[in-house]
């Protein structure tokens, strides 16, 4: 049961990461505006940096479905626990960031927290069935 739900969460998370990476590559200025980054940072050099971050995000977007397809139960548990901690930390990092507080900041942090909670719920199911 863990394998089925963990693979599902990994695949859904990979699709979300892919959409975020595509948005960062195609429209970095709109993403920065949505997140509340100050307008003085929206120059061409910073937008290329954001595009590079989008390209780097393609790596977990492509590797997560591979882990979901080919990893065993132990590998899925380790991947889910690592991604859960990373996303809970990312939510805290986004909330503490020195950007304007707005819809983009809160929605990004809540999405990250929901993804982290989904990973931990998958792992909780494993402990309960033992």
């Amino acid at each position: 049961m863990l394998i089925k739900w963990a693979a599902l969460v990994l695949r859904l998370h990979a699709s979300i990461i892919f959409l975020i990476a595509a948005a960062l590559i195609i429209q970095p200025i709109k993403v920065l505006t949505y997140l509340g980054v100050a307008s003085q940072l929206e120059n061409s050099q910073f937008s290329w940096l954001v595009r590079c971050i989008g390209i780097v995000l393609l790596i977990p977007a492509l590797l997560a479905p591979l882990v979901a397809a080919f990893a065993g139960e132990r590998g899925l548990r380790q991947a889910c626990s690592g991604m859960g901690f990373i996303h809970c930390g990312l939510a805290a990092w986004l909330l503490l960031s020195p950007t304007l507080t707005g819809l983009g900041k809160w929605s990004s942090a809540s999405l990250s927290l929901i993804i982290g909670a989904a990973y931990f719920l998958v792992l909780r199911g494993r402990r309960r069935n033992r």
Side-chain angles (χ1 to χ4, degrees):
M1 193 62 138
L2 168 83
I3 293 173
K4 178 180 141 185
W5 287 106
L8 177 69
V9 171
L10 275 168
R11 287 184 179 115
L12 287 174
H13 180 222
S15 63
I16 292 170
I17 288 178
F18 182 77
L19 293 175
I20 292 170
L24 287 173
I25 293 169
I26 296 169
Q27 293 289 333
I29 300 298
K30 286 187 180 181
V31 174
L32 291 175
T33 305
Y34 180 72
L35 291 175
V37 176
S39 61
Q40 64 266 19
L41 292 177
E42 296 175 0
N43 58 22
S44 64
Q45 294 172 344
F46 193 67
S47 67
W48 277 104
L49 176 68
V50 172
R51 282 189 174 114
C52 289
I53 292 170
I55 291 169
V56 169
L57 280 177
L58 288 175
I59 296 168
L62 295 174
L63 288 180
L66 290 174
V67 170
F70 297 114
E73 185 177 347
R74 182 176 180 189
L76 286 173
R77 277 189 280 134
Q78 290 173 349
C80 287
S81 63
M83 295 303 280
F85 282 115
I86 287 170
H87 275 282
C88 289
L90 179 63
W93 189 262
L94 285 169
L95 290 175
L96 295 174
S97 67
T99 59
L100 299 174
T101 303
L103 179 65
K105 184 176 182 176
W106 286 103
S107 63
S108 299
S110 62
L111 178 66
S112 183
L113 194 61
I114 288 169
I115 292 171
Y119 280 120
F120 286 133
L121 284 175
V122 168
L123 292 173
R124 181 177 174 266
R126 171 63 183 156
R127 280 189 232 120
R128 184 180 58 224
N129 293 334
R130 257 190 174 185

